[in-house]
Amino acid sequence: MAIFKARNDEPNVGGIKSETDVANREVDGDAESRDLDDADMARMGKRQQTRRNFGLITMLGFTTTMMCTWEGGFPLFGTPFVNGGSVTMIYGFVFAWVGSLATCSSLAEMASMYPTSGGQYHWVAIMAPPKWSKFLSFMTGWVSVLGWQAGVATGTFFGAIVMQGLASLGNANYTPQRWQGTLIFYCVLALACFVNTVLAKYLPALEGLILILHIVGFFAVLIPLVHLSPISDASFVFRDSTNVSGHNDGISWLIGMATTSVLFVGYDGACHMDPATVTAEEVKHAALNVPRSMIFTVFLNGTLGFAMYLVILFTIGDIEAVLGSATGWPFIQLFVQGLQSQAGATAMTSLLISMYIFASFGFLASASRQCWAFARDRALPFSTYLSRIDRRTAIPLWAIGFSVVFNVLLALINIASSTAWNAIISLVVAGFYSSYLIAIGCMMYRRMQPERLVLGPWNLGRFGTATNVVAMLYALIAMVFSFFPPTLPVSAQSMNYSVVVYFAVVSSGLVYYALRGRKMYNGPVIDRQFTS
């Protein structure tokens, strides 16, 4: 590929002596750092269009709070618990954590090589076999768009329907209706849109504050639960296996693990960041700060998430009462039961709702940036509009609008299915991990070629191949079992509709590519100023 060749043949672009030299330079956002960023963009044939407002700390706040791992564990722990009990929760989490570290490391290495907002589809275009480069790049971008758009729905959806559970706690006569949850979803989505447009320039500072709340809130929930709740026996936490899902034990464990894997989705948001969004083209010295923030995010969130899973199991108390909570959310009953206070449970639940809503800010930012980058390369319908950057604010308003409309339509699943949240989670896992599979597979292909693979300043060294293999196996397992229904038997309302939506989107991508995409899309576009 021409871009890959440029990387090998022009090591001194922008005055960079070597990749090691880059790694040893301090990153202050000064003129030298901007030169390094511009040089990275030039090597990829791209012109800087968005502003670089994010440093390492603000980027870490962005990705960490977007993943929302310990907070997300509360509404999600029910699925792994009924699919194997404590052993699925604990060991499934460890499995997902290790697999996510391998996947994250593999992507971080590519992000250091090519720090552009396109992320996976851009890397695939560079590293795939020439014969399949355009098609694989297109499909990677297509499913990545799906994953990020569904990701917007996770925080938005949880923020909305957990509100209904909290209302049920305060008013025993209130019966949540799915259409009401959908309307609340729209309100949360509107708030996320407002933050990403009107308040866009304040997002970096806001993410720093949310990171503080993310960490302080962890202790605000953990300490009261541990201090006031009855404590379960250690044998229950580490050895109990209770499968009431209807699946056999092996399948059940994998389904529970696949649900847990969604707690580690979002770290690659750093690959896509802007003043109110998420593209590597908006991060200072992206070749180092993007991979660092990705790895730090998985380590930090994994640690907090695992600790909170232990707290949930040690303080769960009356299991039947928790799982049969009248609020529809086991964790709300766990709070009530542990604190012996409805007011305390309300305060804790309100904190979690806030964090889910805050996470939606980052997901909408990332989703719109990834959509904008793909449209910039003429791969989406209406790319002329979706690739536009507002000159005054330097943000992709059309791409944000598309993301909002997509999620307005996606939220309608909630009206049709009582387990819509499970379908949305599965869509997130399938969309993200299928794009990871293709990208890491192409990286493996490049490693096996006789030409020397020029790595970025952050790389895996001799452990690269082994890490890539582990990442691909994990991504495949998580993706496949995300489509399974959490319990049997399956009815029309309890069906996991993610498999229908996913393959409908993939099929539409294939049709679009055959009819129009293959004519319009030729891989990542090289700006004219870099062609000769």
Side-chain angles (χ1 to χ4, degrees), residues 8-26:
N8 285 327
D9 294 345
E10 300 179 44
N12 295 317
V13 174
I16 300 175
K17 297 180 181 179
S18 70
E19 312 229 5
T20 302
D21 183 45
V22 174
N24 292 331
R25 299 190 187 201
E26 290 294 324

Side-chain angles (χ1 to χ4, degrees), residues 153-177:
T154 52
T156 311
F157 188 74
F158 283 134
I161 60 176
V162 173
M163 281 188 198
Q164 289 185 287
L166 190 57
S168 297
L169 178 64
N171 182 1
N173 296 321
Y174 172 66
T175 302
Q177 301 294 324

Side-chain angles (χ1 to χ4, degrees), residues 56-272:
L56 178 59
I57 299 301
T58 50
M59 174 55 61
L60 181 61
F62 184 92
T63 52
T64 299
T65 57
M66 183 166 58
M67 278 181 66
C68 217
T69 300
W70 74 260
E71 299 95 331
F74 280 103
L76 290 177
F77 86 84
T79 298
F81 192 83
V82 300
N83 280 276
S86 302
V87 295
T88 300
M89 282 186 63
I90 294 297
Y91 303 111
F93 187 97
V94 172
F95 186 94
W97 192 5
V98 173
S100 295
L101 277 172
T103 309
C104 178
S105 298
S106 299
L107 297 179
E109 186 174 49
M110 288 183 273
S112 183
M113 295 165 65
Y114 310 110
T116 180
S117 58
Q120 292 92 300
Y121 87 85
H122 199 129
W123 307 331
V124 169
I126 295 171
M127 293 186 288
K131 180 180 179 181
W132 297 99
S133 175
K134 185 169 77 168
F135 173 72
L136 289 177
S137 173
F138 177 87
M139 292 308 301
T140 301
W142 196 267
V143 295
S144 185
V145 167
L146 171 64
W148 276 110
Q149 295 301 329
V152 176
T154 52
T156 311
F157 188 74
F158 283 134
I161 60 176
V162 173
M163 281 188 198
Q164 289 185 287
L166 190 57
S168 297
L169 178 64
N171 182 1
N173 296 321
Y174 172 66
T175 302
Q177 301 294 324
R178 292 199 294 272
W179 65 268
Q180 295 171 342
T182 301
L183 292 180
I184 300 173
F185 176 103
Y186 291 157
C187 292
V188 175
L189 183 61
L191 176 61
C193 180
F194 177 78
V195 170
N196 273 271
T197 51
V198 179
L199 302 182
K201 65 180 179 180
Y202 302 109
L203 190 59
L206 181 61
E207 293 295 348
L209 295 175
I210 297 174
L211 176 60
I212 295 173
L213 182 60
H214 174 70
I215 297 173
V216 173
F218 170 80
F219 292 102
V221 172
L222 181 147
I223 293 173
L225 278 178
V226 172
H227 181 66
L228 299 174
S229 302
I231 303 300
S232 304
D233 188 79
S235 62
F236 164 77
V237 174
F238 294 104
R239 294 200 298 267
D240 181 74
S241 177
T242 306
N243 180 10
V244 295
S245 67
H247 296 283
N248 67 56
D249 289 347
I251 296 296
S252 187
W253 191 91
L254 290 167
I255 292 172
M257 185 282 301
T259 301
T260 301
S261 69
V262 80
L263 297 176
F264 293 98
V265 163
Y267 52 77
D268 61 315
C271 302
H272 312 286

Side-chain angles (χ1 to χ4, degrees), residues 4 27 106 163 405 418 507 510 514:
F4 189 83
V27 183
S106 299
M163 281 188 198
V405 171
S418 59
S507 299
L510 292 171

Side-chain angles (χ1 to χ4, degrees), residues 230-381:
I231 303 300
S232 304
D233 188 79
S235 62
F236 164 77
V237 174
F238 294 104
R239 294 200 298 267
D240 181 74
S241 177
T242 306
N243 180 10
V244 295
S245 67
H247 296 283
N248 67 56
D249 289 347
I251 296 296
S252 187
W253 191 91
L254 290 167
I255 292 172
M257 185 282 301
T259 301
T260 301
S261 69
V262 80
L263 297 176
F264 293 98
V265 163
Y267 52 77
D268 61 315
C271 302
H272 312 286
M273 196 69 222
D274 173 285
T277 52
V278 54
T279 104
E281 295 171 32
E282 299 160 284
V283 183
K284 299 168 185 175
H285 202 351
L288 276 176
N289 282 342
V290 167
R292 283 172 176 171
S293 70
M294 292 169 69
I295 297 297
F296 291 165
T297 293
V298 176
F299 268 114
L300 176 60
N301 271 4
T303 301
L304 298 182
F306 185 68
M308 197 57 78
Y309 255 32
L310 289 175
V311 169
I312 290 172
L313 288 172
F314 272 112
T315 63
I316 196 168
D318 187 342
I319 297 175
E320 291 187 5
V322 168
L323 295 180
S325 173
T327 66
W329 293 103
F331 77 89
I332 296 181
Q333 182 61 33
L334 184 148
F335 289 163
V336 173
Q337 186 175 273
L339 303 180
Q340 295 296 307
S341 168
Q342 183 170 315
T346 299
M348 283 189 177
T349 305
S350 298
L351 171 63
L352 293 179
I353 290 172
S354 299
M355 295 307 299
Y356 302 146
I357 294 174
F358 294 153
S360 70
F361 300 167
F363 266 110
L364 180 57
S366 298
S368 58
R369 291 314 176 273
Q370 200 279 337
C371 173
W372 162 74
F374 204 39
R376 178 179 60 178
D377 292 327
R378 302 195 297 266
L380 291 174

